[in-house]
Amino acid sequence: MTDAASPLGEDDIALAGEYVLGTLELDERRAIARRIAQDSAFAVEVARWEARLDPLADEVRPIAPPAHVWKGVERGLFGAPRARAGLWGWFAGASGLAAALLAAVLWLGEPLPTQQGPLWISDMVSEDGEVRLAALYDEGRGEMRVSMGGDGPGDGRDFELWLIQGDAVISLGVMPHEGQAAMPIPEDLRDLVANATLAITDEPTGGSPTGVATGPIVAAAPLRRI
């Protein structure tokens, strides 16, 4: 049945719902992602479905990820896991791919690229929800676009972004305290981006002086292909 509030037909409304539910095949999802960036009416319909379905998540009891997953992230950054109560608890309530995609489109403030090449997104949120970083990596361009939201670091501090792939932990640079930034990824690092994890740590102004993370992990999330 057609929604009177939407200019779209029944099939397009249903398609937007399937996208939000995550029932489409990968190729179909990619096509929908491109359409969201180009068709404002369809993007609004996707947002409507998100608004309808997101409250259902409030009734689902969060399940913390296995401890070894986050110990592995911390081991990569610091050499050994650090005990901090409640760390990574935010991840249990993280939104799905559709929400992360919409966040990337909205926060980065421009349409998704249309050229050939996979896109990767990561939506990092701190445990208390006060710090949020959206990252969109364009594999075709070899460019990472990031956007900071929420609270910035304290006086004399910077947030630093790290790429974690297996045993490799590489600094991608200091994040802006607010707004957006474009970060070209060196060619010798581009093969490491696929399915990597991004993490932000709280470091002294200018970033870690040693090239190794020294401050606490603020947030982390995997890069997911769209």
Side-chain angles (χ1 to χ4, degrees), residues 20-97:
V20 173
L21 287 169
T23 59
L24 300 176
E25 297 292 333
L26 180 59
D27 288 345
E28 292 177 297
R29 293 192 65 83
R30 290 176 183 166
I32 295 300
R34 291 191 294 270
R35 183 173 177 184
I36 290 173
Q38 299 165 2
D39 184 339
S40 59
F42 189 76
V44 168
E45 186 60 38
V46 169
R48 285 195 182 115
W49 275 102
E50 292 265 351
R52 294 186 194 112
L53 298 177
D54 278 353
L56 297 178
D58 296 335
E59 301 178 15
V60 178
R61 184 177 179 180
I63 299 175
H68 72 272
V69 172
W70 301 123
K71 286 180 180 178
V73 172
E74 291 206 290
R75 186 176 294 108
L77 283 170
F78 301 109
R82 296 184 178 187
R84 284 191 294 279
L87 185 63
W88 310 117
W90 58 267
F91 191 76
S95 57
L97 180 58

Side-chain angles (χ1 to χ4, degrees), residues 26-216:
L26 180 59
D27 288 345
E28 292 177 297
R29 293 192 65 83
R30 290 176 183 166
I32 295 300
R34 291 191 294 270
R35 183 173 177 184
I36 290 173
Q38 299 165 2
D39 184 339
S40 59
F42 189 76
V44 168
E45 186 60 38
V46 169
R48 285 195 182 115
W49 275 102
E50 292 265 351
R52 294 186 194 112
L53 298 177
D54 278 353
L56 297 178
D58 296 335
E59 301 178 15
V60 178
R61 184 177 179 180
I63 299 175
H68 72 272
V69 172
W70 301 123
K71 286 180 180 178
V73 172
E74 291 206 290
R75 186 176 294 108
L77 283 170
F78 301 109
R82 296 184 178 187
R84 284 191 294 279
L87 185 63
W88 310 117
W90 58 267
F91 191 76
S95 57
L97 180 58
L101 172 61
L102 289 177
V105 173
L106 294 174
W107 293 338
L108 297 174
E110 55 185 283
L112 291 172
T114 57
Q115 74 277 3
Q116 297 297 318
L119 299 175
W120 299 80
I121 58 172
S122 181
D123 183 18
M124 289 161 276
V125 185
S126 63
E127 183 179 10
D128 59 10
E130 296 299 319
V131 178
R132 196 173 186 110
L133 185 146
L136 173 65
Y137 178 64
D138 180 353
E139 192 170 309
R141 292 182 178 177
E143 180 182 79
M144 183 91 69
R145 284 185 277 164
V146 298
S147 182
M148 287 297 306
D151 293 343
D155 293 340
R157 309 292 294 182
D158 275 326
F159 290 147
E160 188 164 0
L161 182 65
W162 303 84
L163 176 73
I164 305 171
Q165 180 66 272
D167 294 331
V169 182
I170 301 162
S171 173
L172 296 181
V174 172
M175 296 294 91
H177 285 205
E178 60 182 3
Q180 298 83 34
M183 307 167 58
I185 303 299
E187 290 190 14
D188 61 338
L189 298 182
R190 294 177 186 177
D191 289 343
L192 298 178
V193 176
N195 298 308
T197 293
L198 293 182
I200 48 177
T201 60
D202 189 327
E203 303 290 345
T205 298
S208 170
T210 64
V212 177
T214 62

